[in-house]
Amino acid sequence: MSPARPCTGLRAAVAASIGLSEGPAGSARSGRLLRPPSPAPAAPGARLFRLPGSGAVRAANPERAGWTEALRAAVAELRAGAVVAVPTDTLYGLACSASCSEALGVVYRVKGRSETKPLAVCLGRVADVYRYCRVRVPEGLLNDLLPGPVTLVMERSEELNKDLNPFTPLVGIRIPDHAFMQDLAQVFGGPLALTSANLSSQTSSLNVEEFQDLWPRLSLVIDGGPIGDDQSPECRLGSTVVDLSVPGVFGIIRPGCALESTSAILQKYGLLPLRESCL
């Protein structure tokens, strides 16, 4: 990975501009969990706050203030080059600015992930896909799949940071069907790198307690409540990953949690499964 772009020096200025404290000088910055005050902390040193409502649905007044507080704090940290834990429609994830090379390196180190494994890109709107990818499928197909529990792999455009997955010309795009994540991506105003919130090769997380060992290495943890049934293996499969980089065909890279519905939509638009196109 090439030399990091300057990001962390902005942290104090951005945090101060919206009234966030950086904590005691020289202290380790433990992960902060945005959640309404709890009678007792879930872990020593962790402040617990939670997104109002279900977390996946935009909060209405009078709870909107808590939603906005979480959103502003997350955007400030991301713009300062930090890594933030977030809820999605499938699993809890780790997010950072895809344009900040230093932050990308932190994600890999936090997860213990090989830098030869790609990170997905999270966007806020379907229209944004055309900026960061070379789209070779009908617009209707994108609108039928996104937002949703899918990752669409396409050829990347020059708009993306060259330090993001420099070993491949492709990129996986996510627009989670989750109100907070869509708000976050839209307010942030740029692509977010996104991966699951767990140590590499370990079980994915459906609630914030399951990746508590990572909190001290994160700048912020957004608790949107439980995602799915933590007793169901199917709920931990993550998004269905589909290769759409070749016109007219699709390849399933990871079956994930939405394989059947995704395949049906792809075939409705006349795309052939890759194995059939080779017959």
Side-chain angles (χ1 to χ4, degrees):
M1 194 170 285
S2 64
R5 301 182 181 184
C7 324
T8 54
L10 298 174
R11 187 188 309 278
V14 174
S17 71
I18 64 170
L20 298 176
S21 171
E22 278 290 293
S27 64
R29 300 183 69 246
S30 295
R32 290 176 294 148
L33 183 63
L34 289 178
R35 184 176 193 175
S38 228
R47 289 185 59 209
L48 298 184
F49 292 86
R50 181 178 177 178
L51 288 177
S54 69
V57 179
R58 286 180 183 83
N61 290 330
E63 295 180 316
R64 182 69 192 181
W67 183 279
T68 303
E69 178 190 4
L71 184 62
R72 291 174 66 195
V75 169
E77 293 292 345
L78 290 166
R79 288 179 177 170
V83 177
V84 173
V86 292
T88 76
D89 53 349
T90 56
L91 306 167
Y92 271 87
L94 301 180
C96 74
S97 169
S99 301
C100 181
S101 302
E102 182 179 351
L104 296 173
V106 172
V107 169
Y108 280 103
R109 291 193 294 274
V110 167
K111 281 183 62 78
R113 182 180 178 89
S114 168
E115 291 191 358
T116 62
K117 293 184 177 181
L119 302 175
V121 166
C122 176
L123 302 174
R125 304 178 182 87
V126 173
D128 297 333
V129 177
Y130 292 86
R131 177 177 178 183
Y132 298 106
C133 295
R134 304 188 190 285
V135 180
R136 295 189 172 96
V137 296
E139 182 178 359
L141 172 59
L142 291 188
N143 288 321
D144 281 354
L145 290 174
L146 301 172
V150 296
T151 300
L152 303 182
V153 176
M154 291 176 275
E155 186 179 352
R156 59 191 286 161
S157 77
E158 295 298 320
E159 290 283 330
L160 286 173
N161 179 7
K162 290 180 172 56
D163 286 339
L164 174 74
N165 311 333
F167 44 83
T168 175
L170 307 179
V171 66
I173 296 295
R174 281 278 275 137
I175 304 180
D177 188 13
H178 191 283
F180 183 81
M181 282 304 298
Q182 290 177 38
D183 281 357
L184 180 62
Q186 290 173 23
V187 175
F188 178 72
L192 297 172
L194 185 66
T195 185
S196 57
N198 57 282
L199 289 173
S200 189
S201 79
Q202 292 193 3
T203 305
S204 53
S205 302
L206 296 176
N207 62 70
V208 294
E209 286 76 19
E210 290 182 339
F211 61 93
Q212 201 166 358
D213 54 334
L214 300 184
W215 290 8
R217 305 189 66 186
L218 305 175
S219 291
L220 202 67
V221 179
I222 306 292
D223 183 2
I227 302 172
D229 179 4
D230 61 8
Q231 299 302 311
S232 170
E234 289 76 16
C235 287
R236 297 185 187 273
L237 295 177
S239 62
T240 295
V241 183
V242 184
D243 185 350
L244 295 179
S245 62
V246 179
V249 300
F250 69 91
I252 300 299
I253 297 174
R254 183 177 71 192
C257 63
L259 176 60
E260 186 174 344
S261 60
T262 300
S263 296
I265 291 171
L266 292 166
Q267 293 182 66
K268 182 182 80 169
Y269 282 88
L271 274 69
L272 294 174
L274 192 56
R275 61 180 181 277
E276 291 185 14
S277 68
C278 296
L279 293 178

